[in-house]
Amino acid sequence: MSRQSDAGSSHLEEEEEAFLDLEDPENKILDDGDEDHDGDEMEDEAGEKEGAEGEEEEAEPAPAPFIDLNDAPDVEPERDDSTATFIARDKKPLHVVRLHPNNSSIAAVAGEGDEIYIVDVNLSAVGELAAAHVLKGHTDTITHLSFSPNGEILASGSMDMTIKLWNTTTWELLHTLADLSGEIETLLWHPSSLALVAGAADAQAALWNVKKGTLAMYFVGHRQSVTCALWTPDNKKLVTGSADGSLILFNPKTGEQEITIAKDLSPDTAGITTMQFLSDDLLIAGCEDGTVHLVSISKAKAVAHLEEVHEQSIESIAVMDNGALYATSSCDCKVIIWNAQDHSKRVVLEVGESVIPATWVLNFIVAGCSDGVLRVWDGRSTSQDPVFAFVGHRRMVLDFAVDAPNQRMITASDDGMLKVFGLGSPK
């Protein structure tokens, strides 16, 4: 069976077997006649900014030196602010942690080992924790974990080129999806919990019927790894970003490319590392070279480019819940908070450490740093000083999950530990 066709897709199920109903009332359907003028406004603003920038030229700062975080020495923390700690077998680095969407007492964490640990992080859990379940089956580093929106299935993606689906009641293996030929780079559930998308290093993305464990569609057109994926805000189309520096909008029913955006992004065609929608039409895309771009889906092009402040790869983009601000983080030791209305920079937080994960928790921006510290700033302020700095890890924080109702952060670190931090004052 051919994986690719001239149309750039492969139909693997007949029409009557389609399982993903994009007309389902749970999915918001936009009137095709509605117009979104975000792109027009941004294009006008971009022209004004470029004209203003042309009036005055400033000397470019020297680029930040490249730091290999894997070579960073262990840090001896002065204290441990965490309330509970889980230690992986042989202290192998933990790369990803996720909380069950309906039960924040259940954490799934995995990384350099080939095991997934299910850890009970209930509010009364303190001290050293043990794994309630250990899920085995992968044969290489686990790069991604993602619970289905309804919480019934945990998906795990690995460098062994497979995705495994686990029942979250029994923790038994349901299906192994082995239809991609490269390391898994991204996982994305459909809001219905009926379908899962993955992108891989083989330059393809794929969509599966998770109930059956069967492949429904390949999405092809990229020339390098598919690094990130999003559903459009109406859940009708799929957007993928790639290390080849392009974005593609796919029709998930047919697999056809509807839009390809490769020009006017990074001047060096740097790979897309992360992206987030800011509105129904406007998407923020971050690149390996530190550039950030605003893309209009309706116009099928980049309509503006943020001021070039970052000097290394964009690791995360996070939009505040009310949409007023968004933040970008990078290994260049900066977190930048931007005004969503005019896309001007509000504040550049000079962290002094590389930042990989960063996200909003209400009005606060939380960042996991290369020195093992979890730093928290008031995102509405322009102060450089974090309001909290939680210590306890010996190496960089690679991921964290937010338990907002209980004001907790659950972290995964290169030191092989999961830690639970309360968002009150540290010790």
Side-chain angles (χ1 to χ4, degrees):
M1 181 182 296
S2 172
R3 285 185 140 183
Q4 302 184 14
S5 68
D6 293 339
S9 64
S10 298
H11 293 267
L12 300 176
E13 294 187 2
E14 297 297 330
E15 184 87 19
E16 59 270 23
E17 291 295 322
F19 67 94
L20 180 59
D21 184 3
L22 296 177
E23 305 303 325
D24 189 293
E26 292 184 359
N27 297 329
K28 181 181 177 183
I29 305 300
L30 297 182
D31 184 348
D32 291 338
D34 291 346
E35 295 183 1
D36 193 321
H37 299 287
D38 287 350
D40 292 319
E41 294 173 1
M42 283 311 308
E43 201 163 21
D44 293 342
E45 291 171 8
E48 293 173 5
K49 289 182 181 179
E50 288 173 1
E53 290 171 359
E55 295 173 5
E56 182 177 349
E57 293 185 2
E58 297 182 1
E60 294 185 1
F66 176 78
I67 300 173
D68 187 346
L69 297 179
N70 293 314
D71 294 335
D74 284 7
V75 175
E76 185 64 38
E78 61 185 26
R79 62 181 188 273
D80 189 352
D81 295 326
S82 67
T83 58
T85 300
F86 166 77
I87 303 175
R89 181 170 58 87
D90 300 328
K91 292 188 176 180
K92 290 186 176 180
L94 295 173
H95 294 170
V96 55
V97 61
R98 293 291 181 268
L99 289 179
H100 191 288
N102 303 323
N103 184 354
S104 61
S105 293
I106 299 174
V109 64
E112 193 170 294
D114 51 16
E115 299 172 331
I116 303 166
Y117 303 102
I118 307 302
V119 183
D120 184 352
V121 291
N122 68 75
L123 294 176
S124 62
V126 294
E128 188 167 333
L129 306 177
H133 303 275
V134 180
L135 311 184
K136 299 182 179 181
H138 284 295
T139 59
D140 206 337
T141 295
I142 295 164
T143 54
H144 291 81
L145 295 173
S146 184
F147 283 99
S148 60
N150 63 13
E152 295 179 0
I153 298 174
L154 172 67
S156 57
S158 170
M159 292 175 67
D160 66 11
M161 302 185 290
T162 70
I163 297 154
K164 293 185 181 292
L165 304 179
W166 310 86
N167 181 305
T168 59
T169 300
T170 64
W171 298 108
E172 294 177 349
L173 179 64
L174 298 172
H175 304 289
T176 296
L177 312 177
D179 302 293
L180 293 170
S181 300
E183 299 171 2
I184 305 304
E185 300 275 354
T186 186
L187 291 176
L188 175 68
W189 282 95
H190 187 268
S192 67
S193 297
L194 296 175
L196 178 71
V197 171
D202 65 354
Q204 296 187 110
L207 180 146
W208 290 269
N209 176 336
V210 296
K211 185 175 181 179
K212 297 179 180 179
T214 55
L215 181 65
M217 191 68 61
Y218 279 116
F219 304 100
V220 298
H222 289 297
R223 300 184 308 279
Q224 296 181 42
S225 299
V226 177
T227 56
C228 47
L230 292 172
W231 293 104
T232 53
D234 61 3
N235 299 322
K236 293 174 68 174
K237 301 296 169 65
L238 176 69
V239 183
T240 56
S242 170
D244 66 12
S246 70
L247 299 171
I248 299 180
L249 180 79
F250 288 101
N251 183 323
K253 281 190 171 182
T254 65
E256 295 177 354
Q257 300 177 38
E258 296 193 353
I259 296 172
T260 299
I261 302 171
K263 297 180 179 179
D264 299 325
L265 293 175
S266 165
D268 301 319
T269 322
I272 307 294
T273 53
T274 184
M275 56 187 182
Q276 289 291 335
F277 271 99
L278 187 60
S279 69
D280 288 345
D281 182 59
L282 201 63
L283 180 146
I284 312 167
C287 295
E288 288 179 345
D289 62 356
T291 58
V292 183
H293 312 277
L294 302 173
V295 176
S296 166
I297 298 299
S298 64
K299 289 181 171 293
K301 65 178 182 179
V303 293
H305 313 281
L306 300 192
E307 181 181 345
E308 294 188 17
V309 182
H310 284 298
E311 298 160 356
Q312 293 184 24
S313 176
I314 303 300
E315 297 294 333
S316 66
I317 298 172
V319 180
M320 199 175 188
D321 286 344
N322 64 10
L325 303 170
Y326 58 93
T328 55
S329 70
S330 171
C331 286
D332 66 1
C333 306
K334 298 184 182 73
V335 174
I336 303 177
I337 299 176
W338 308 83
N339 292 301
Q341 185 172 9
D342 61 2
H343 307 283
S344 61
K345 67 177 186 293
R346 177 178 175 80
V347 61
V348 179
L349 299 173
E350 299 285 355
V351 183
E353 298 288 338
S354 296
V355 176
I356 296 178
T359 194
W360 291 92
V361 180
L362 301 176
N363 296 319
F364 297 92
I365 191 76
V366 183
C369 303
S370 58
D371 61 353
V373 179
L374 193 69
R375 291 177 170 86
V376 183
W377 293 266
D378 186 339
R380 300 162 300 179
S381 169
T382 58
S383 172
Q384 291 285 327
D385 298 325
V387 292
F388 299 119
F390 299 96
V391 302
H393 282 297
R394 295 173 178 273
R395 293 183 64 82
M396 56 185 165
V397 177
L398 294 171
D399 196 18
F400 59 81
V402 179
D403 179 11
N406 295 308
Q407 299 185 356
R408 300 189 302 166
M409 305 293 296
I410 292 83
T411 57
S413 169
D414 197 45
D415 63 10
M417 297 183 189
L418 170 152
K419 285 184 175 290
V420 180
F421 294 95
L423 289 178
S425 297
K427 295 177 184 177

